[in-house]
Structure formats: structure tokens, C-alpha cells
């Protein structure tokens, strides 16, 4: 066989495999799977004391207790997964129940929790609702 024929044959096989992989491989920035974990980061004004940050974290924790699909939460005061460590930072790592245990319709619950979590002591930045708020019927 000639080298041209082998080259075009391999190129054709490569194109077919590439086309197949493009059709079967999931794409997109956010995967379709629900990992069941989300993070809440708290960033107060610079110079805020650890006691004030702990007070804000108490307020958020009180709101998180009312979330029925929340299985567990871990609270870290003085550390942000994004900004590092400091007295004005805090983080919650929240784990949701399995899909089979989540019951009912969300009815915009995510937006209600998001509004409730906006505290007056936080920075003046406006934070839009995340894209995943309305991605399924549980509100998360």
C-alpha cells in the first residue's frame, strides 16, 4: 500500500473516533452530576475581630439549621477557602442529603436562603444568584 493511502486511512479512522468521542463525552463547565456539597464563604470588612466573625457565622448557622435537605455542615472560623486566613473570614462546608432522600419541590427556596444569608455587616459587593439555584426541583 502506498503511504498516501495509509495516511488518509489513518486520518479517516482518527476523524471517526474523534466524532464519536465528541458525541459521547459530556461537555460544559458545570457537570450534570450533583456532588451534594456546597461551600459558603464569609468575608467581612478588614479588621473585623474573630468574635464578630463568629457572631455572623452563628447567624448563618441558625439559617442553615432550617434547611431540610442539609445532611451536615462544617464551620471554620478564621479561614476562607478562597482568600486564605484572617479574623474576618469564615467558611461553611455543607453536605446535602442523597437525591433519593430529598423530597418535595424547591419553589425558589434557594433564592430565599440566599437572601437570608446576605448580612448587613458584609462588604458592599452585590452577589448575583448562582446558576445552580434553579437547576432542579429541590431548589438546590
Amino acid at each position: 500500500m502506498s503511504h498516501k493511502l495509509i495516511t488518509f486511512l489513518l486520518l479517516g479512522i482518527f476523524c471517526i473516533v474523534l466524532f464519536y468521542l465528541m458525541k459521547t463525552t459530556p461537555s460544559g463547565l458545570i457537570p450534570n452530576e450533583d456532588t451534594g456539597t456546597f461551600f459558603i464563604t464569609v468575608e467581612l470588612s478588614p479588621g473585623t475581630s474573630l468574635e464578630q466573625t463568629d457572631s455572623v457565622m452563628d447567624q448563618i448557622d441558625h439559617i442553615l439549621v432550617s434547611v431540610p435537605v442539609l445532611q451536615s455542615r462544617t464551620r471554620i472560623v478564621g479561614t476562607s477557602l478562597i482568600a486564605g486566613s484572617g479574623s474576618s473570614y469564615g467558611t461553611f462546608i455543607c453536605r446535602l442529603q442523597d437525591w433519593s432522600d430529598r423530597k418535595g419541590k424547591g419553589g425558589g427556596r434557594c433564592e430565599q436562603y440566599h437572601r437570608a444569608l446576605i448580612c448587613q455587616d458584609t462588604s458592599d459587593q452585590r452577589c448575583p444568584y448562582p446558576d445552580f439555584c434553579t437547576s432542579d426541583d429541590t431548589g438546590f
Side-chain angles (χ1 to χ4, degrees), residues 8-68:
F8 283 115
L9 185 63
L10 289 175
L11 182 62
I13 291 171
F14 175 76
C15 288
I16 290 170
V17 170
L18 180 64
F19 181 76
Y20 172 75
L21 290 175
M22 287 174 57
K23 289 294 183 183
T24 59
T25 304
S27 63
L29 189 58
I30 300 175
N32 292 333
E33 303 89 31
D34 177 15
T35 62
T37 303
F38 67 93
F39 302 90
I40 299 173
T41 58
V42 176
E43 182 178 344
L44 302 177
S45 301
T48 303
S49 70
L50 198 57
E51 290 79 19
Q52 290 172 315
T53 305
D54 193 40
S55 173
V56 172
M57 296 288 282
D58 283 340
Q59 294 173 23
I60 295 171
D61 195 36
H62 180 71
I63 294 168
L64 290 176
V65 169
S66 68
V67 179

